Structures are given as structure tokens and as C-alpha cells.
Amino acid sequence: MADTSSLLLVPSLIFSTNIIFSAVLCGTASAVSFGVNYGQIANNLPSPTRVSFLLRSLNVTRVKLYDADPNVLRAFSYSPVHFIVGLGNEHLPNLTTDPLHAQRWIQLNLQPHLPQTRITSITVGNEVFNTPQLIPYLLPAMQAVHSALVNLGLDSQVSVTTAHSLTILSTSSPPSSGTFRPDLAQYLRPILDFLSAINSAFLINAYPYFAYKDDPAQVPLDYVLFRPNQGAPDPFTGFTYDNMLYAQVDAVYAAIRTLGHEDIEVKVSETGWPSRGDPDEAGATPEYAGVYNGNLFKRIAAGEGTPARPDVPIDVYVFALFNENLKPGPASERNYGLYYPSGVAVYNFGLQGYLPQLTLSDSTANSVKVIGSLSNLFRLIALSLCACIT
């Protein structure tokens, strides 16, 4: 059963939850500001209220959900965190055939949380091009959601997009030769026209780990882990790529350009590295996961862009916040988390966060029992308030 403990305040304390949130944010935020995927395919995760403390202690400013979980959205009310929420693939046919489906979904799942929770985007489907029977529904579904946002007066604050796997590319090396698969171009061209018209981003799920796992003898480990290496030159542009992720992003930019657009930003909606895998999953270790994400955070902190777009800092959502014990598939699928559900870091990735361990005592009515390190939490609050005041 999922952990449903939540933060409770001792009666003598006069601080509100939001004041404590602000203290934690002010006093402990890291210099790195990044996005994270908050997956919940698990039965042992901490409550969203506690997770909100963890994310703000890490200075996570953007969160991507795969649904619109009301418990999560409520837990982040009046916080500075911006959310991407998801409409699952199962909604696509109804979004296309029922003209009111999108509006009902928005009224039920988004409007109750606006504006107190900052919801800035809806992803309509995820990696839809991997499910051929759903492909014809994708653009009409995106258009239906956007039209509903317009009708409700929300289109200026909530954008519409979708996320793609890199299997949509037919060519990715060198990056400047990136092209989409010919069988998908007929669908991608109007999607790009739509994204351009509404000024929305093109999202990709990019995993250099997959390339290494599939061919560890040929894919240089240093190149996929952002470690020093001789780099991979692009003979057509003169750029040299020192990591695969940036090469993948620029390959998508090149593919978009072949379909007539240079006005659409590419964002990385998922990337990460598993800390454990099956025997045939090469490289799935805590050491490599720590190196990949730790070096990625350094690149984000530096505000880097890719060689083809040096003035556009790369926008990344790391996958994922927690290990998810109910995910199907190989062992790696359950081990992408930065944290165990207990709040302990799976490995050292260069940042430190804090998950409060508070719960009710069932021994005395109206009493509060502190489990774990309550003294550390109070110390954190005190230090944070001092930092804010000074």
C-alpha cells in the first residue's frame, strides 16, 4: 500500500505549510534548476505532500506527470513548480470522435487546480508513433484539446504538445543529416505546422543508454556519459559533439528543418540512466547512472545549448524521480529513479534533497509523533529562514 503519511504541524507552531515550503526553497535550493518526471507506477511511494518538500529542496522547477493526479496537483498549490500533465494514449480516439471530451477533461482535471497550481502544458499521448493504430488520431486529438483550451480561455497559459521516442528518426548521424522516417513524415509535417502555429515545443524522449546497451562494444562509454572524449565530428557543419544527447537533439532539429521549420524548440521530455538491470542490460549500474545524471546536471547548470543551437539552453526533464516497483518490462524499467521511495538517494548524482519523515501517532489522540529526523527538518527551516532574512 502506498505511503499516505503527510506533513502535520505541532499546534504550538505558527508557521503555515506554505511558509515552511518557502523557507526550504529559499535556504537550500541548489544552483541547478531542472525538470523531473514524477512517475507513479508503484505501491510504495511517499505522499505528494512529502514529495513537494523533496522537489523544492532540490530546486526542481518543472515536473512532468503522465496524468493529472489531483493529489499531486493539490500538494503543489501556491508553489513555484510548473507542471506538464498528460492525457494518456487511451484518450486519443474519444478526443477525436467526441467534440466535448477534451473540454470535459479540462474542466474536471485542470480547472479545479488553476491558477493556484501552475499547469503550463498538456501532453496529448506519449510515443504514439510506436502504436500504429493510434497515429491517425494524434493530430486531431491535439487540435481538440487546444480548441477546448481556447473555448475556456486557457490557451494563453496552457500549451499543447506530445512526446516522441527517437524511433521516429530514420537517420541521426551525423546530426546535421537527421531525418524522420519516410512513413511518418506525412503525419509529422502537419503536427509541426500545428506546433508552429500555437508556439509550442517538440518533445523527445532521448536515452543514450539505449544505444550503449544495444552495442556496448561500439558505442564509447565516455561519449554517452558526458565524460572527456575525443568527440564525434559532423563533417557537414564542422561541429564536434562530446556527448550523444546533444547529438540526438540536433538530429531532431535537422529533421524538423527538412520539413520546413526552424521556429520550433526541441525539449527533452525524458532522459536518464538505470541503476540496475537484467544480465543482458549492459551498463545499468549505480555508478554509471550517477555519472550520467551528475554530468547532465552540470551541463544544465552551465546553461549550455547544443552545438547547433548554442544560445538555447537545453531543456531537460530527467527520468525519473523514484524507482517504480510495478512497472512492467525488464529490470531497468523499475530502476531509473534518483531516489528510493524511502527518500534515500539511489546513488550520488551531485545534489542533495530532503524528504521529511512525519506521520501521526495512533497512541494518543490529537498528538503528533515525529518519525525519523524531525530535528533535522526544524534545523533546515531555521537555517532557511535565517538565509531568507539576511
Side-chain angles (χ1 to χ4, degrees), residues 98-184:
D98 180 356
L100 293 179
H101 185 84
Q103 184 158 316
R104 288 195 299 266
W105 188 90
I106 293 168
Q107 290 173 322
L108 178 64
N109 294 282
L110 262 65
Q111 281 192 309
H113 306 287
L114 294 173
Q116 62 270 23
T117 301
R118 302 185 185 189
I119 302 170
T120 58
S121 186
I122 301 171
T123 53
V124 180
N126 184 57
E127 300 187 349
V128 174
F129 287 108
N130 291 343
T131 309
Q133 65 269 26
L134 291 179
I135 293 174
Y137 295 111
L138 179 56
L139 178 58
M142 295 170 67
Q143 292 170 327
V145 173
H146 178 70
S147 295
L149 289 168
V150 172
N151 292 338
L152 295 169
L154 298 174
D155 57 299
S156 63
Q157 63 186 100
V158 183
S159 66
V160 175
T161 187
T162 189
H164 307 278
S165 77
L166 289 186
T167 59
I168 62 175
L169 295 177
S170 62
T171 304
S172 60
S173 183
S176 61
S177 298
T179 54
F180 293 121
R181 285 166 36 194
D183 62 311
L184 300 181

Coordinates of all heavy atoms in Angstrom, one line a residue, residues 98-184:
D98 N -15.4 12.6 -30.1 CA -16.4 13.3 -29.2 C -15.9 14.7 -29.0 O -14.9 15.0 -28.4 CB -16.4 12.6 -27.8 CG -17.4 13.2 -26.9 OD1 -17.9 14.3 -27.2 OD2 -17.5 12.7 -25.7
P99 N -16.6 15.7 -29.6 CA -16.2 17.1 -29.6 C -16.1 17.7 -28.2 O -15.5 18.7 -28.0 CB -17.2 17.8 -30.5 CG -18.4 16.9 -30.5 CD -17.9 15.5 -30.4
L100 N -16.8 17.1 -27.2 CA -16.8 17.6 -25.9 C -15.9 16.9 -24.9 O -15.7 17.3 -23.8 CB -18.2 17.6 -25.3 CG -19.3 18.5 -26.0 CD1 -20.6 18.3 -25.4 CD2 -18.8 19.9 -26.0
H101 N -15.2 15.8 -25.4 CA -14.4 15.0 -24.5 C -13.3 15.9 -23.9 O -13.0 15.8 -22.7 CB -13.8 13.8 -25.2 CG -13.0 12.9 -24.3 ND1 -13.6 11.9 -23.6 CD2 -11.7 12.8 -24.1 CE1 -12.7 11.3 -22.9 NE2 -11.5 11.8 -23.2
A102 N -12.6 16.7 -24.8 CA -11.5 17.5 -24.3 C -11.9 18.5 -23.3 O -11.2 18.7 -22.3 CB -10.8 18.1 -25.5
Q103 N -13.0 19.2 -23.6 CA -13.5 20.2 -22.7 C -13.9 19.6 -21.3 O -13.5 20.2 -20.3 CB -14.6 21.0 -23.3 CG -15.1 22.2 -22.5 CD -15.8 23.2 -23.2 OE1 -15.4 23.6 -24.3 NE2 -16.9 23.7 -22.7
R104 N -14.5 18.5 -21.3 CA -14.9 17.9 -20.1 C -13.7 17.5 -19.3 O -13.6 17.7 -18.1 CB -15.8 16.6 -20.3 CG -17.2 17.0 -20.8 CD -18.1 15.7 -20.7 NE -17.6 14.6 -21.5 CZ -18.0 14.4 -22.7 NH1 -19.0 15.2 -23.3 NH2 -17.6 13.3 -23.4
W105 N -12.7 16.9 -20.0 CA -11.4 16.5 -19.3 C -10.7 17.7 -18.7 O -10.3 17.6 -17.5 CB -10.5 15.8 -20.3 CG -9.3 15.2 -19.6 CD1 -9.2 13.9 -19.1 CD2 -8.0 15.8 -19.4 NE1 -8.0 13.7 -18.6 CE2 -7.2 14.9 -18.7 CE3 -7.5 17.1 -19.6 CZ2 -5.9 15.1 -18.3 CZ3 -6.2 17.4 -19.2 CH2 -5.4 16.4 -18.6
I106 N -10.7 18.8 -19.4 CA -10.0 20.0 -18.9 C -10.8 20.6 -17.7 O -10.2 21.0 -16.6 CB -9.9 21.1 -20.0 CG1 -8.9 20.6 -21.0 CG2 -9.4 22.4 -19.4 CD1 -8.9 21.4 -22.3
Q107 N -12.1 20.6 -17.8 CA -12.9 21.1 -16.7 C -12.8 20.3 -15.4 O -12.8 20.8 -14.3 CB -14.4 21.2 -17.1 CG -14.6 22.4 -18.2 CD -16.0 22.3 -18.7 OE1 -16.6 21.3 -19.0 NE2 -16.6 23.5 -19.0
L108 N -12.6 19.0 -15.6 CA -12.6 18.1 -14.5 C -11.2 18.0 -13.9 O -11.0 18.0 -12.7 CB -13.0 16.7 -14.9 CG -13.0 15.6 -13.8 CD1 -13.9 15.9 -12.7 CD2 -13.3 14.2 -14.4
N109 N -10.1 18.0 -14.7 CA -8.8 17.7 -14.3 C -7.9 18.9 -14.2 O -6.9 18.8 -13.4 CB -8.1 16.7 -15.3 CG -8.8 15.4 -15.2 OD1 -8.6 14.6 -14.3 ND2 -9.7 15.1 -16.2
L110 N -8.1 20.0 -14.9 CA -7.3 21.2 -14.8 C -7.9 22.3 -14.1 O -7.2 22.9 -13.2 CB -6.9 21.6 -16.3 CG -5.5 21.1 -16.8 CD1 -5.5 19.6 -16.9 CD2 -5.2 21.7 -18.1
Q111 N -9.1 22.7 -14.5 CA -9.6 24.0 -13.9 C -9.7 24.0 -12.4 O -9.5 25.1 -11.8 CB -11.0 24.2 -14.6 CG -10.9 24.8 -16.0 CD -12.2 25.4 -16.5 OE1 -13.2 24.7 -16.5 NE2 -12.2 26.6 -17.0
P112 N -10.0 22.9 -11.7 CA -10.0 23.0 -10.3 C -8.7 23.3 -9.6 O -8.7 23.8 -8.5 CB -10.5 21.6 -9.8 CG -11.2 21.0 -11.0 CD -10.5 21.6 -12.2
H113 N -7.6 23.2 -10.4 CA -6.3 23.5 -9.8 C -5.6 24.8 -10.3 O -4.5 25.1 -9.9 CB -5.4 22.3 -10.2 CG -5.9 21.0 -9.8 ND1 -6.0 20.6 -8.4 CD2 -6.5 20.0 -10.5 CE1 -6.5 19.4 -8.4 NE2 -6.8 19.0 -9.6
L114 N -6.4 25.5 -11.2 CA -5.8 26.7 -11.8 C -6.5 27.9 -11.1 O -7.7 27.9 -10.7 CB -6.1 26.8 -13.3 CG -5.5 25.8 -14.1 CD1 -6.0 25.8 -15.6 CD2 -3.9 26.0 -14.1
P115 N -5.7 29.0 -10.8 CA -4.3 29.2 -11.1 C -3.4 28.8 -10.0 O -2.2 29.0 -10.1 CB -4.2 30.7 -11.3 CG -5.2 31.2 -10.3 CD -6.3 30.2 -10.3
Q116 N -3.9 28.3 -8.9 CA -3.1 28.0 -7.7 C -1.9 27.0 -7.9 O -0.9 27.1 -7.3 CB -3.9 27.6 -6.5 CG -4.7 26.3 -6.6 CD -6.1 26.4 -7.2 OE1 -6.3 27.4 -7.9 NE2 -6.9 25.5 -7.0
T117 N -2.2 26.1 -8.9 CA -1.1 25.2 -9.3 C -0.7 25.6 -10.7 O -1.6 25.8 -11.6 CB -1.5 23.7 -9.3 OG1 -1.9 23.4 -7.9 CG2 -0.4 22.8 -9.7
R118 N 0.5 25.7 -11.0 CA 1.0 26.2 -12.3 C 1.1 25.1 -13.3 O 2.1 24.4 -13.4 CB 2.3 26.9 -12.1 CG 2.3 28.1 -11.1 CD 3.6 28.8 -11.1 NE 3.6 29.8 -10.0 CZ 4.6 30.8 -9.9 NH1 5.6 30.8 -10.7 NH2 4.5 31.6 -8.9
I119 N 0.0 24.9 -14.1 CA 0.0 23.9 -15.1 C 0.2 24.7 -16.4 O -0.6 25.5 -16.8 CB -1.4 23.2 -15.1 CG1 -1.6 22.5 -13.8 CG2 -1.4 22.2 -16.3 CD1 -3.0 22.0 -13.6
T120 N 1.3 24.3 -17.1 CA 1.7 25.1 -18.3 C 1.6 24.4 -19.6 O 1.6 25.0 -20.6 CB 3.1 25.6 -18.1 OG1 4.0 24.5 -18.0 CG2 3.3 26.5 -16.9
S121 N 1.4 23.0 -19.5 CA 1.3 22.3 -20.8 C 0.6 21.0 -20.6 O 0.6 20.4 -19.5 CB 2.7 22.0 -21.3 OG 2.7 21.4 -22.6
I122 N 0.0 20.5 -21.7 CA -0.7 19.2 -21.7 C 0.0 18.4 -22.8 O 0.1 18.8 -24.0 CB -2.2 19.3 -22.0 CG1 -2.9 20.1 -21.0 CG2 -2.8 17.9 -22.1 CD1 -4.3 20.4 -21.3
T123 N 0.5 17.2 -22.5 CA 1.0 16.3 -23.5 C -0.1 15.3 -23.9 O -0.7 14.6 -23.0 CB 2.2 15.4 -23.0 OG1 1.9 14.8 -21.8 CG2 3.4 16.3 -22.8
V124 N -0.5 15.4 -25.1 CA -1.6 14.5 -25.7 C -1.0 13.3 -26.2 O -0.4 13.2 -27.3 CB -2.4 15.3 -26.7 CG1 -3.5 14.4 -27.3 CG2 -2.9 16.6 -26.2
G125 N -1.0 12.2 -25.4 CA -0.4 11.0 -25.8 C 1.1 11.0 -25.5 O 1.7 12.0 -25.3
N126 N 1.7 9.8 -25.5 CA 3.1 9.6 -25.3 C 3.7 8.5 -26.2 O 3.2 7.4 -26.2 CB 3.4 9.2 -23.8 CG 4.9 9.1 -23.5 OD1 5.6 10.0 -23.7 ND2 5.3 7.9 -23.1
E127 N 4.6 8.9 -27.0 CA 5.3 8.0 -28.0 C 4.2 7.3 -28.8 O 4.2 6.1 -29.1 CB 6.2 7.0 -27.3 CG 7.3 7.7 -26.5 CD 8.3 6.7 -25.9 OE1 8.1 5.5 -25.9 OE2 9.4 7.2 -25.5
V128 N 3.3 8.1 -29.4 CA 2.1 7.5 -30.1 C 2.6 6.8 -31.4 O 2.0 5.8 -31.8 CB 1.1 8.6 -30.4 CG1 0.0 8.1 -31.3 CG2 0.5 9.2 -29.1
F129 N 3.7 7.3 -32.0 CA 4.1 6.7 -33.2 C 4.6 5.2 -33.0 O 4.9 4.5 -34.0 CB 5.2 7.5 -33.9 CG 4.6 8.8 -34.5 CD1 4.8 10.0 -33.9 CD2 3.8 8.7 -35.7 CE1 4.3 11.2 -34.5 CE2 3.3 9.9 -36.2 CZ 3.5 11.1 -35.6
N130 N 4.8 4.8 -31.8 CA 5.1 3.4 -31.6 C 3.8 2.5 -31.5 O 3.9 1.3 -31.3 CB 5.8 3.3 -30.2 CG 7.2 3.8 -30.3 OD1 7.8 4.1 -31.4 ND2 7.8 4.1 -29.1
T131 N 2.7 3.1 -31.7 CA 1.4 2.4 -31.7 C 0.7 2.7 -33.0 O -0.1 3.7 -33.0 CB 0.5 2.7 -30.5 OG1 1.3 2.6 -29.3 CG2 -0.7 1.8 -30.4
P132 N 0.9 2.0 -34.1 CA 0.4 2.4 -35.4 C -1.0 2.7 -35.5 O -1.5 3.7 -36.1 CB 0.8 1.3 -36.3 CG 2.0 0.7 -35.6 CD 1.8 0.8 -34.1
Q133 N -1.9 2.0 -34.8 CA -3.3 2.2 -34.9 C -3.8 3.5 -34.3 O -4.9 4.0 -34.6 CB -4.1 1.0 -34.2 CG -3.9 0.9 -32.7 CD -2.8 -0.1 -32.4 OE1 -1.8 -0.2 -33.1 NE2 -2.9 -0.7 -31.2
L134 N -3.0 4.1 -33.5 CA -3.3 5.4 -32.9 C -2.8 6.6 -33.6 O -3.3 7.7 -33.4 CB -2.8 5.5 -31.4 CG -3.5 4.5 -30.4 CD1 -2.8 4.7 -29.0 CD2 -5.0 4.8 -30.3
I135 N -1.9 6.4 -34.6 CA -1.3 7.5 -35.2 C -2.3 8.5 -35.9 O -2.2 9.7 -35.7 CB -0.3 7.0 -36.3 CG1 0.9 6.3 -35.6 CG2 0.2 8.2 -37.1 CD1 1.9 5.7 -36.5
P136 N -3.3 8.0 -36.6 CA -4.2 8.9 -37.3 C -5.0 9.8 -36.3 O -5.5 10.8 -36.6 CB -5.2 8.0 -38.0 CG -4.4 6.7 -38.2 CD -3.6 6.6 -37.0
Y137 N -5.1 9.4 -35.0 CA -5.9 10.1 -34.0 C -5.0 11.3 -33.4 O -5.6 12.2 -32.8 CB -6.3 9.2 -32.9 CG -7.3 8.2 -33.3 CD1 -6.9 6.8 -33.3 CD2 -8.6 8.5 -33.6 CE1 -7.9 5.8 -33.6 CE2 -9.5 7.5 -34.0 CZ -9.1 6.2 -34.0 OH -10.1 5.2 -34.3
L138 N -3.7 11.2 -33.5 CA -2.9 12.1 -32.7 C -3.1 13.6 -33.0 O -3.5 14.4 -32.1 CB -1.4 11.8 -32.9 CG -0.4 12.7 -32.2 CD1 -0.7 12.6 -30.7 CD2 1.0 12.2 -32.4
L139 N -3.0 14.0 -34.2 CA -3.1 15.5 -34.5 C -4.6 15.9 -34.2 O -4.7 17.0 -33.6 CB -2.7 15.8 -36.0 CG -2.9 17.2 -36.4 CD1 -2.1 18.2 -35.5 CD2 -2.5 17.4 -37.8
P140 N -5.6 15.2 -34.7 CA -6.9 15.7 -34.3 C -7.2 15.8 -32.8 O -7.9 16.7 -32.4 CB -7.9 14.6 -35.0 CG -7.1 14.1 -36.1 CD -5.6 14.1 -35.6
A141 N -6.6 14.9 -32.1 CA -6.7 14.9 -30.6 C -6.0 16.2 -30.0 O -6.6 16.9 -29.2 CB -6.2 13.7 -30.0
M142 N -4.8 16.5 -30.5 CA -4.1 17.7 -30.1 C -4.9 18.9 -30.4 O -5.0 19.9 -29.6 CB -2.7 17.7 -30.7 CG -1.8 16.6 -30.3 SD -0.3 16.5 -31.3 CE 0.5 18.0 -30.8
Q143 N -5.5 19.0 -31.6 CA -6.3 20.1 -32.0 C -7.5 20.3 -31.2 O -7.9 21.4 -30.8 CB -6.6 20.0 -33.5 CG -5.4 20.1 -34.4 CD -5.7 19.7 -35.9 OE1 -6.6 18.8 -36.1 NE2 -5.1 20.3 -36.8
A144 N -8.1 19.1 -30.8 CA -9.3 19.2 -30.0 C -9.0 19.8 -28.6 O -9.8 20.6 -28.1 CB -9.9 17.8 -29.9
V145 N -7.9 19.4 -28.0 CA -7.5 19.9 -26.7 C -7.2 21.4 -26.8 O -7.6 22.1 -25.9 CB -6.3 19.1 -26.2 CG1 -5.8 19.7 -24.9 CG2 -6.7 17.6 -25.9
H146 N -6.5 21.8 -27.8 CA -6.2 23.2 -28.0 C -7.5 24.0 -28.2 O -7.6 25.1 -27.5 CB -5.3 23.4 -29.2 CG -5.0 24.9 -29.4 ND1 -4.2 25.6 -28.6 CD2 -5.3 25.7 -30.4 CE1 -4.1 26.9 -29.0 NE2 -4.8 26.9 -30.1
S147 N -8.4 23.5 -29.0 CA -9.7 24.2 -29.2 C -10.4 24.4 -27.9 O -11.0 25.4 -27.6 CB -10.5 23.5 -30.2 OG -9.9 23.5 -31.5
A148 N -10.4 23.3 -27.1 CA -11.1 23.4 -25.8 C -10.4 24.4 -24.9 O -11.1 25.1 -24.1 CB -11.1 22.0 -25.1
L149 N -9.1 24.5 -24.9 CA -8.4 25.5 -24.1 C -8.8 26.9 -24.5 O -9.0 27.8 -23.7 CB -6.9 25.3 -24.2 CG -6.3 24.1 -23.5 CD1 -4.9 23.8 -23.9 CD2 -6.4 24.2 -22.0
V150 N -8.9 27.1 -25.9 CA -9.3 28.4 -26.4 C -10.7 28.7 -25.9 O -11.0 29.8 -25.4 CB -9.3 28.4 -27.9 CG1 -9.9 29.7 -28.5 CG2 -7.8 28.2 -28.4
N151 N -11.6 27.8 -26.0 CA -13.0 28.0 -25.6 C -13.1 28.4 -24.1 O -14.0 29.1 -23.7 CB -13.9 26.8 -25.9 CG -14.0 26.5 -27.3 OD1 -13.9 27.4 -28.2 ND2 -14.4 25.3 -27.7
L152 N -12.2 27.8 -23.3 CA -12.3 28.0 -21.9 C -11.4 29.2 -21.4 O -11.2 29.5 -20.3 CB -11.8 26.8 -21.1 CG -12.8 25.6 -21.3 CD1 -12.1 24.3 -20.7 CD2 -14.1 25.8 -20.6
G153 N -10.7 29.9 -22.4 CA -9.9 31.0 -22.1 C -8.6 30.6 -21.5 O -8.0 31.5 -20.7
L154 N -8.1 29.4 -21.7 CA -6.9 28.9 -21.0 C -5.7 28.8 -22.0 O -4.6 28.4 -21.5 CB -7.1 27.6 -20.3 CG -8.2 27.6 -19.3 CD1 -8.5 26.2 -18.8 CD2 -7.8 28.5 -18.1
D155 N -5.9 29.0 -23.2 CA -4.8 28.7 -24.2 C -3.6 29.6 -24.1 O -2.5 29.3 -24.5 CB -5.3 28.9 -25.7 CG -5.9 30.3 -25.9 OD1 -6.9 30.6 -25.2 OD2 -5.4 31.0 -26.8
S156 N -3.7 30.8 -23.4 CA -2.5 31.6 -23.2 C -1.6 31.2 -22.1 O -0.5 31.6 -22.1 CB -3.0 33.1 -22.9 OG -3.7 33.2 -21.7
Q157 N -2.2 30.3 -21.2 CA -1.3 29.8 -20.2 C -1.0 28.3 -20.2 O -0.1 27.8 -19.6 CB -2.0 30.1 -18.8 CG -3.3 29.4 -18.6 CD -4.0 29.9 -17.3 OE1 -4.9 30.7 -17.3 NE2 -3.5 29.3 -16.2
V158 N -1.8 27.6 -21.0 CA -1.6 26.1 -21.1 C -1.4 25.8 -22.6 O -2.3 26.0 -23.4 CB -2.8 25.3 -20.5 CG1 -2.5 23.8 -20.6 CG2 -3.1 25.7 -19.1
S159 N -0.2 25.2 -22.9 CA 0.1 24.8 -24.3 C -0.3 23.3 -24.5 O -0.5 22.6 -23.6 CB 1.5 25.1 -24.6 OG 2.4 24.3 -23.8
V160 N -0.2 22.9 -25.8 CA -0.5 21.5 -26.1 C 0.7 21.0 -26.9 O 1.2 21.7 -27.8 CB -1.8 21.5 -27.0 CG1 -2.0 20.0 -27.4 CG2 -3.0 21.9 -26.1
T161 N 1.1 19.8 -26.6 CA 2.1 19.1 -27.4 C 2.0 17.6 -27.2 O 1.0 17.1 -26.7 CB 3.5 19.6 -27.0 OG1 4.5 19.1 -27.9 CG2 3.9 19.3 -25.6
T162 N 3.0 16.9 -27.7 CA 3.1 15.4 -27.5 C 4.5 15.0 -27.4 O 5.4 15.8 -27.8 CB 2.3 14.6 -28.6 OG1 2.2 13.3 -28.2 CG2 3.0 14.8 -29.9
A163 N 4.8 13.9 -26.8 CA 6.2 13.4 -26.7 C 6.5 12.2 -27.6 O 5.7 11.4 -27.7 CB 6.5 13.1 -25.2
H164 N 7.7 12.2 -28.2 CA 8.1 11.2 -29.2 C 9.3 10.5 -28.7 O 10.2 11.0 -28.1 CB 8.4 11.9 -30.5 CG 7.3 12.8 -31.0 ND1 6.2 12.4 -31.7 CD2 7.2 14.2 -31.0 CE1 5.5 13.4 -32.0 NE2 6.0 14.5 -31.6
S165 N 9.4 9.2 -29.1 CA 10.6 8.5 -28.9 C 11.5 8.7 -30.2 O 11.0 9.2 -31.2 CB 10.4 7.0 -28.8 OG 10.0 6.4 -30.1
L166 N 12.8 8.4 -30.1 CA 13.7 8.7 -31.2 C 13.5 7.7 -32.3 O 14.2 7.7 -33.3 CB 15.1 8.8 -30.7 CG 15.4 10.0 -29.9 CD1 16.9 10.1 -29.5 CD2 15.0 11.3 -30.6
T167 N 12.6 6.7 -32.1 CA 12.3 5.8 -33.2 C 11.7 6.5 -34.4 O 11.5 5.9 -35.5 CB 11.5 4.6 -32.8 OG1 10.2 5.1 -32.3 CG2 12.2 3.8 -31.7
I168 N 11.3 7.7 -34.2 CA 10.7 8.5 -35.4 C 11.8 8.9 -36.4 O 11.4 9.3 -37.5 CB 9.9 9.7 -34.9 CG1 10.9 10.7 -34.2 CG2 8.8 9.3 -34.0 CD1 10.2 12.0 -33.8
L169 N 13.0 8.8 -36.0 CA 14.1 9.2 -36.9 C 14.5 8.0 -37.8 O 14.6 6.9 -37.3 CB 15.3 9.7 -36.1 CG 15.2 11.0 -35.3 CD1 16.5 11.3 -34.5 CD2 14.8 12.1 -36.2
S170 N 14.8 8.3 -39.0 CA 15.4 7.2 -39.9 C 16.9 7.4 -39.9 O 17.7 6.4 -40.1 CB 14.9 7.3 -41.3 OG 15.2 8.6 -41.9
T171 N 17.4 8.6 -39.8 CA 18.8 9.0 -39.8 C 19.1 9.9 -38.7 O 18.4 10.9 -38.5 CB 19.3 9.6 -41.1 OG1 18.9 8.7 -42.2 CG2 20.8 9.8 -41.1
S172 N 20.2 9.6 -37.9 CA 20.5 10.6 -36.8 C 22.0 10.9 -36.7 O 22.4 11.7 -35.9 CB 20.1 10.0 -35.4 OG 20.8 8.7 -35.2
S173 N 22.8 10.3 -37.6 CA 24.2 10.5 -37.6 C 24.8 10.7 -39.0 O 24.5 9.9 -39.9 CB 25.0 9.3 -37.0 OG 26.3 9.5 -36.9
P174 N 25.5 11.8 -39.2 CA 25.8 12.9 -38.3 C 24.6 13.7 -38.0 O 23.6 13.6 -38.8 CB 26.9 13.7 -39.0 CG 26.6 13.5 -40.5 CD 26.1 12.1 -40.6
P175 N 24.6 14.5 -36.9 CA 23.3 15.1 -36.5 C 22.7 16.0 -37.6 O 21.5 16.1 -37.7 CB 23.8 16.0 -35.3 CG 24.9 15.2 -34.7 CD 25.6 14.6 -35.9
S176 N 23.5 16.7 -38.4 CA 23.0 17.6 -39.4 C 22.3 16.8 -40.5 O 21.6 17.4 -41.3 CB 24.1 18.4 -40.1 OG 25.1 17.6 -40.7
S177 N 22.4 15.5 -40.6 CA 21.7 14.7 -41.6 C 20.4 14.1 -41.0 O 19.8 13.2 -41.7 CB 22.6 13.6 -42.1 OG 23.8 14.2 -42.8
G178 N 20.0 14.5 -39.8 CA 18.9 13.9 -39.2 C 17.6 14.0 -40.0 O 17.3 15.1 -40.6
T179 N 16.9 12.9 -40.2 CA 15.7 12.9 -41.0 C 14.6 12.0 -40.3 O 15.0 11.0 -39.6 CB 15.9 12.4 -42.4 OG1 16.5 11.1 -42.4 CG2 16.7 13.4 -43.2
F180 N 13.4 12.3 -40.5 CA 12.3 11.5 -40.0 C 12.1 10.3 -40.9 O 12.4 10.3 -42.1 CB 11.0 12.3 -39.8 CG 11.1 13.4 -38.8 CD1 10.8 14.7 -39.1 CD2 11.3 13.0 -37.4 CE1 10.8 15.7 -38.2 CE2 11.3 14.0 -36.5 CZ 11.1 15.4 -36.8
R181 N 11.5 9.2 -40.3 CA 11.2 8.1 -41.1 C 10.2 8.5 -42.2 O 9.2 9.2 -42.0 CB 10.5 7.0 -40.3 CG 11.5 6.3 -39.4 CD 10.9 5.4 -38.3 NE 9.6 4.8 -38.7 CZ 8.7 4.3 -37.8 NH1 9.0 4.3 -36.5 NH2 7.6 3.8 -38.3
P182 N 10.4 8.0 -43.5 CA 9.5 8.4 -44.6 C 8.1 8.1 -44.3 O 7.2 8.8 -44.7 CB 10.1 7.6 -45.7 CG 11.5 7.4 -45.4 CD 11.6 7.2 -43.9
D183 N 7.8 6.9 -43.6 CA 6.4 6.5 -43.4 C 5.7 7.4 -42.4 O 4.5 7.4 -42.3 CB 6.3 5.1 -43.0 CG 7.1 4.8 -41.6 OD1 8.2 5.3 -41.5 OD2 6.5 4.2 -40.7
L184 N 6.5 8.2 -41.6 CA 5.9 9.1 -40.6 C 5.8 10.6 -41.0 O 5.1 11.4 -40.4 CB 6.7 9.0 -39.3 CG 6.7 7.6 -38.7 CD1 7.5 7.7 -37.4 CD2 5.3 7.0 -38.4

